[in-house]
């Protein structure tokens, strides 16, 4: 049957129905909003901000993938983008260097001067800020972080350190604060650890002063505690928010041991570089007696990898016994820094970063690796794990072929 309603009548009827539906929708939304306000929850909570969200735990079954200054082989170092890329690529920990601004804010930046990795030279308003200071026994001239406020540092833009790396991101990112760095890790969709360094504490304490006689180290630990980083290595608290605190200065690590039980790593520089605070030689701080002493304050050491296996004419020589001795003192070993480029790879690895990872993990037996290329280390470890569990898989077959070729070479 044909309806006796005219077209106009149908339009009016449809309009009334739409008004009724809209009223019902608004009433239900209002009821939902009132309910949420009653229980104190926002209507649309951000997924990463939900306290009850279950995150994938930190892997602890293989050496740690430590994103050195973020994934800085791809994106300028110590920027938010570099850290987010590293997390995306599978980093277990994101690593950063902590310095302080003139007004006492803690920032993520490696050098005490701004010259090499920012556009400071373009800022004519800061032309009179160039200074010469003594840093670790040498006079250095440049634009020093400690002579700029946080707002001034935020006005700068970061650039790639090495000219042979991708330059397309130069000038796109700013310096970030320690708190912004922490937020990146806490907002990740899985548990990601942080690995901050107390950088140049002697120099910072000389040039930056905090109220009530506080030191750089006190400010540093205070922020970690503020955001819930606490607990001994592998404790429940630590596994929920993993952290390693690192420094080249043994007195800083001893000082903060009274303030936090979070695990600490003693960094070790080149053969000819004494410690910046105690003026001890490489040979003294790697002796059995010193390792026995420092193990009461730290859970591991972070040596430059070329001091573990010294190269001659860009070829590896016989490995030292440092890793074995550290393990004998129940200390982990996290060497630095692994880089994919040919200018950093020793000839022994035939321009293959996977070959370098395999050597250090399987032969030397390290417990973590600082890498500029988080993605490549993650892919290698996934590949190695697959080949170890199933040689019939595609990854396993490729790994077996690679081993045969390597053996033949």
């Amino acid at each position: 049957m044909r309806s006796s309603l005219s077209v106009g009548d149908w339009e009016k009827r449809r309009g009334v129905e739409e008004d009724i539906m809209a009223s019902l929708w608004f009433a239900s939304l209002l009821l939902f909003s009132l309910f949420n306000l009653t229980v104190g929850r926002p209507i649309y909570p951000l997924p990463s901000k939900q306290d009850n969200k279950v995150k994938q735990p930190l892997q602890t079954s293989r050496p740690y993938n430590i994103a050195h200054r973020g994934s800085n082989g791809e994106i300028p170092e110590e920027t938010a983008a570099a850290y987010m890329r590293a997390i995306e690529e599978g980093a277990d920990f994101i690593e950063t260097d902590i310095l302080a601004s003139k007004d006492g804010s803690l920032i993520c930046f490696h050098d005490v001067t701004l010259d090499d990795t920012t556009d400071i030279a373009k800022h004519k308003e800061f032309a009179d800020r160039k200074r010469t200071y003594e840093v670790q026994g040498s006079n250095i001239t440049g634009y020093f972080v400690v002579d700029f406020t946080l707002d001034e540092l935020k006005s700068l833009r970061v650039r790639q350190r090495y000219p042979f790396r991708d330059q397309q991101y130069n000038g796109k990112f700013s310096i970030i604060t320690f708190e912004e760095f922490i937020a990146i890790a806490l907002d990740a969709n899985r548990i990601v650890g942080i690995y901050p360094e107390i950088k140049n504490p002697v120099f910072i304490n000389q040039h930056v002063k905090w109220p009530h006689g506080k030191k750089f180290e006190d400010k540093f630990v205070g922020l970690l505690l503020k955001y819930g980083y606490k607990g001994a290595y592998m404790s429940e608290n630590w596994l929920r928010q993993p952290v390693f605190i690192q420094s080249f200065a043994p007195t800083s690590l001893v000082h903060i041991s009274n303030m936090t039980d979070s695990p600490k790593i003693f960094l070790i520089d080149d053969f000819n570089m004494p410690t910046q605070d105690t003026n001890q030689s490489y040979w003294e701080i790697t002796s059995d007696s010193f390792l026995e002493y420092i193990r009461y304050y730290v859970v591991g050491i972070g040596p430059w990898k070329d001091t573990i296996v010294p190269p001659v004419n860009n070829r590896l020589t016989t490995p030292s016994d440092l890793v074995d001795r550290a393990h004998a003192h129940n200390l982990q070993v996290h060497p630095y820094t692994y880089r994919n480029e040919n200018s950093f790879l020793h000839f022994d690895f035939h321009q293959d970063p996977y070959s370098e990872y395999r050597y250090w993990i399987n032969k030397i037996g390290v417990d973590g690796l600082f890498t500029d290329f988080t993605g490549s280390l993650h892919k290698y470890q996934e590949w190695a794990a697959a080949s170890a569990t199933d040689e019939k898989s595609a990854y396993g077959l490729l790994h077996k072929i690679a081993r045969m070729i390597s053996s033949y070479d």
Side-chain angles (χ1 to χ4, degrees):
M1 292 179 60
R2 292 176 61 89
S3 172
S4 60
L5 293 175
S6 66
V7 173
D9 291 331
W10 274 110
E11 291 289 340
K12 291 179 182 178
R13 179 174 176 178
R14 186 170 62 183
V16 170
E17 290 175 346
E18 289 176 348
D19 289 342
I20 293 171
M21 292 299 295
S23 297
L24 289 172
W25 177 85
F26 179 78
S28 64
L29 177 62
L30 180 61
L31 182 62
F32 179 69
S33 300
L34 290 171
F35 174 77
N36 277 275
L37 288 172
T38 301
V39 297
R41 294 179 57 192
I43 298 175
Y44 301 114
L46 294 173
S48 63
K49 301 294 186 183
Q50 296 184 56
D51 292 337
N52 62 349
K53 182 179 179 182
V54 177
K55 293 186 176 183
Q56 177 185 336
L58 177 75
Q59 74 78 25
T60 57
S61 61
R62 64 191 186 194
Y64 293 124
N65 183 338
I66 305 161
H68 181 240
R69 308 179 203 170
S71 188
N72 83 90
E74 302 172 60
I75 298 176
E77 63 188 49
E78 317 238 17
T79 59
Y83 291 121
M84 288 189 284
R85 176 67 62 84
I87 292 171
E88 182 182 290
E89 292 178 335
D92 299 316
F93 288 84
I94 51 175
E95 187 265 354
T96 190
D97 306 277
I98 305 301
L99 293 173
S101 66
K102 180 180 180 179
D103 49 354
S105 295
L106 300 193
I107 63 165
C108 298
F109 203 76
H110 180 268
D111 300 353
V112 292
T113 58
L114 298 159
D115 304 61
D116 288 344
T117 57
T118 75
D119 62 352
I120 184 68
K122 295 180 180 179
H123 288 256
K124 302 305 179 186
E125 69 273 25
F126 300 139
D128 63 345
R129 301 286 183 92
K130 186 170 284 192
R131 300 285 187 274
T132 298
Y133 292 137
E134 182 181 325
V135 183
Q136 291 183 244
S138 300
N139 287 331
I140 296 177
T141 299
Y143 295 96
F144 285 81
V145 167
V146 294
D147 290 326
F148 293 80
T149 66
L150 177 61
D151 286 345
E152 289 172 335
L153 292 170
K154 282 285 191 180
S155 71
L156 307 178
R157 290 297 174 265
V158 181
R159 67 167 185 256
Q160 178 59 255
R161 179 178 295 273
Y162 296 108
F164 47 80
R165 289 181 175 172
D166 191 350
Q167 305 294 306
Q168 68 169 312
Y169 300 108
N170 290 350
K172 295 185 182 298
F173 309 116
S174 64
I175 293 171
I176 64 173
T177 65
F178 189 18
E179 291 183 273
E180 288 171 326
F181 168 82
I182 290 171
I184 291 169
L186 292 180
D187 287 349
N189 61 3
R190 58 185 173 84
I191 292 179
V192 174
I194 62 172
Y195 208 125
E197 178 184 345
I198 304 172
K199 193 75 177 178
N200 292 97
V202 174
F203 178 80
I204 295 298
N205 281 318
Q206 287 173 344
H207 293 272
V208 182
K209 302 301 177 184
W210 285 272
H212 312 297
K214 294 289 186 181
K215 298 173 61 176
F216 177 33
E217 293 90 339
D218 303 322
K219 179 79 170 180
F220 173 90
V221 173
L223 281 179
L224 287 177
L225 295 175
K226 173 183 175 181
Y227 287 96
Y229 287 93
K230 60 183 179 180
Y233 182 61
M234 288 295 175
S235 67
E236 183 179 343
N237 284 328
W238 187 86
L239 288 169
R240 187 163 52 247
Q241 290 185 215
V243 58
F244 285 111
I245 300 170
Q246 54 173 335
S247 182
F248 284 98
T251 56
S252 287
L253 296 171
V254 172
H255 174 74
I256 68 170
S257 67
N258 297 316
M259 305 164 61
T260 176
D261 57 353
S262 291
K264 303 156 194 75
I265 300 290
F266 176 42
L267 298 175
I268 299 174
D269 213 323
D270 195 2
F271 295 115
N272 59 1
M273 288 293 292
T275 56
Q276 57 184 265
D277 55 343
T278 57
N279 199 37
Q280 292 171 283
S281 71
Y282 171 88
W283 308 107
E284 183 178 351
I285 61 177
T286 58
S287 66
D288 280 320
S289 60
F290 192 82
L291 294 178
E292 178 64 22
Y293 158 76
I294 202 69
R295 76 182 183 91
Y296 291 102
Y297 302 99
V298 305
V299 300
I301 59 174
W304 182 38
K305 61 188 177 70
D306 280 4
T307 64
I308 299 175
V309 188
V312 173
N313 296 325
N314 205 37
R315 293 188 179 278
L316 300 181
T317 59
T318 303
S320 73
D321 63 352
L322 179 59
V323 174
D324 290 337
R325 289 192 296 109
H327 286 165
H329 289 277
N330 200 30
L331 293 169
Q332 295 188 39
V333 183
H334 300 173
Y336 64 93
T337 302
Y338 297 85
R339 300 177 168 113
N340 288 9
E341 294 100 345
N342 293 342
S343 54
F344 294 115
L345 284 169
H346 299 308
F347 291 148
D348 307 70
F349 304 121
H350 308 290
Q351 303 178 4
D352 178 10
Y354 279 23
S355 180
E356 183 180 37
Y357 293 142
R358 181 170 62 247
Y359 173 83
W360 282 92
I361 292 172
N362 295 340
K363 183 169 183 177
I364 303 301
V366 298
D367 308 288
L369 301 90
F370 288 77
T371 177
D372 284 2
F373 293 88
T374 314
S376 67
L377 176 53
H378 181 73
K379 288 177 181 177
Y380 167 74
Q381 290 190 297
E382 292 290 289
W383 176 40
S387 67
T389 56
D390 184 8
E391 282 208 347
K392 295 181 180 179
S393 68
Y395 274 134
L397 181 59
L398 286 172
H399 182 62
K400 189 173 182 179
I401 293 171
R403 289 176 59 189
M404 291 171 62
I405 294 173
S406 176
S407 176
Y408 177 78
D409 288 342

